[in-house]
Amino acid sequence: MSDVTPHLGLPLIAASQAQKHVTHNEALGLLDALVQLACLDKDLTAPPPSPAEGDRYLVVAADPGGAWAGLGGQVVRYADGIWTGSAPRAGWFAYLIDEADLYVYDGAAWTSFRRSLAAIESVSRLGINTGADSYNRLAVKADAALLTWDDATPGSGDMRVAINKKTAARDAALVLETGYAARALLGLLGSDDFSLKVSADGSAYATALTASAKTGGIDFTSAETTLASAAATDLGGTGTRRVLVTGAATITSFGGIPGRERLVRFAGRVRLVHDADALALPTRADIVTAADDTCLALSDAAGRWRVWHYQRADGTPLAAGTRAAA
């Protein structure tokens, strides 16, 4: 059986030992020195000239001088006029009074908590609930994330997130993905104009809108979708703002999708049938279209369409209150 404890090396009282108080007091002295360990300094290479009873130091020098000779790497204490040392074990903590810093012994050296925290402030990558890599140096796996104004410091009440790019020709953007494949880009994309681009495959992108950095003007960019005429010609289902209607089928409805706006161009002759509850026309009468006639059509919250403006390609006006000849 060992005569000292395994962690702090406190001496144990042996069976039938004489003068047990000596061993007991030595153990209490070690406890007093090592528990709640607070040392005055760790950078001295020799004892101070006038130590006080109970003073403790970390001796990190490999070859200290004077009364510390042979105590390199140990925790030393001054008691009863002599210096004694205790070899630290991995996991010991010591508070350095002169530095106002906490140190931990890792089995080979004492490491500053302050330096460890400073290193965290400038980590090269950070993963929260997932792994970060050299490209995605910040990675978060969560159902939600919150950034809120600072009410602890306190802050100003503002909350701003800055995305900075090197030059106008680069990107500063949010990338929205499905299954790790990009479906939308939102931000400053290749210029200082604000834009929204969408993609069905993550490779080819269509620009949905652009806001000019110089003027603030907004452009809605949209290809003209071709849609064959039918009794119910579903303008709302095209997914684009501009629609070219082809064919010659009579149209009694533009579909039932609510809250849509469409700029419509006709490729040829089509009859639009006026219905105040389904397809309201500006003349309250049927209209027969011609090639390159255009109109602006909007659907309300119930999906009922109204043609707010109709323009004939040849410039002739619509005859109000009459039915155009078929």
Side-chain angles (χ1 to χ4, degrees), residues 19-302:
Q19 296 186 316
K20 295 179 175 62
H21 67 282
V22 175
T23 303
H24 177 70
N25 289 342
E26 182 182 353
L28 289 178
L30 283 170
L31 282 173
D32 185 65
L34 300 179
V35 175
Q36 302 293 342
L37 180 58
C39 297
L40 295 171
D41 201 340
K42 67 173 180 56
D43 301 313
L44 301 182
T45 58
S50 302
E53 185 75 10
D55 282 356
R56 292 170 293 180
Y57 292 84
L58 293 185
V59 181
V60 298
D63 189 20
W68 287 357
L71 300 179
Q74 298 188 34
V75 178
V76 298
R77 64 187 175 101
Y78 186 74
D80 299 326
I82 61 171
W83 291 96
T84 57
S86 298
R89 306 284 182 91
W92 281 23
F93 287 94
Y95 182 75
L96 267 294
I97 295 173
D98 67 324
E99 300 180 18
D101 195 4
L102 185 65
Y103 279 73
V104 61
Y105 188 71
D106 63 7
W110 292 93
T111 302
S112 162
F113 260 36
R114 182 180 296 160
R115 282 199 294 270
S116 299
L117 293 174
I120 292 175
E121 291 179 358
S122 58
V123 292
S124 60
R125 64 183 65 173
L126 176 63
I128 299 176
N129 200 33
T130 188
D133 56 38
S134 59
Y135 183 76
N136 297 298
R137 286 181 283 183
L138 172 62
V140 179
K141 180 182 286 186
D143 288 340
L146 171 66
L147 300 175
T148 185
W149 67 278
D150 179 10
D151 60 353
T153 304
S156 64
D158 296 328
M159 177 60 222
R160 298 178 180 177
V161 177
I163 301 177
N164 183 48
K165 61 180 181 176
K166 183 178 181 179
T167 64
R170 309 301 296 178
D171 291 346
L174 296 177
V175 181
L176 307 179
E177 300 181 339
T178 297
Y180 299 106
R183 291 295 178 263
L185 306 177
L186 180 68
L188 309 181
L189 304 169
S191 75
D192 282 340
D193 294 337
F194 179 83
S195 62
L196 168 64
K197 296 185 178 182
V198 293
S199 174
D201 57 11
S203 107
Y205 288 87
T207 301
L209 66 86
T210 302
S212 170
K214 292 182 178 180
T215 67
I218 297 178
D219 280 333
F220 293 93
T221 307
S222 175
E224 188 177 61
T225 298
T226 299
L227 183 64
S229 60
T233 302
D234 187 12
L235 294 183
T238 60
T240 59
R241 195 161 176 257
R242 296 167 54 217
V243 180
L244 172 64
V245 176
T246 61
T250 296
I251 298 175
T252 59
S253 167
F254 282 158
I257 297 179
R260 295 293 187 268
E261 176 187 282
R262 294 291 181 263
L263 299 175
V264 185
R265 183 167 67 94
F266 297 94
R269 183 185 179 89
V270 172
R271 175 180 286 277
L272 304 179
V273 177
H274 171 72
D275 184 337
D277 293 325
L279 179 55
L281 302 177
T283 61
R284 290 182 292 179
D286 295 358
I287 296 175
V288 175
T289 71
D292 289 328
D293 282 5
T294 57
C295 72
L296 172 63
L298 296 89
S299 63
D300 63 16

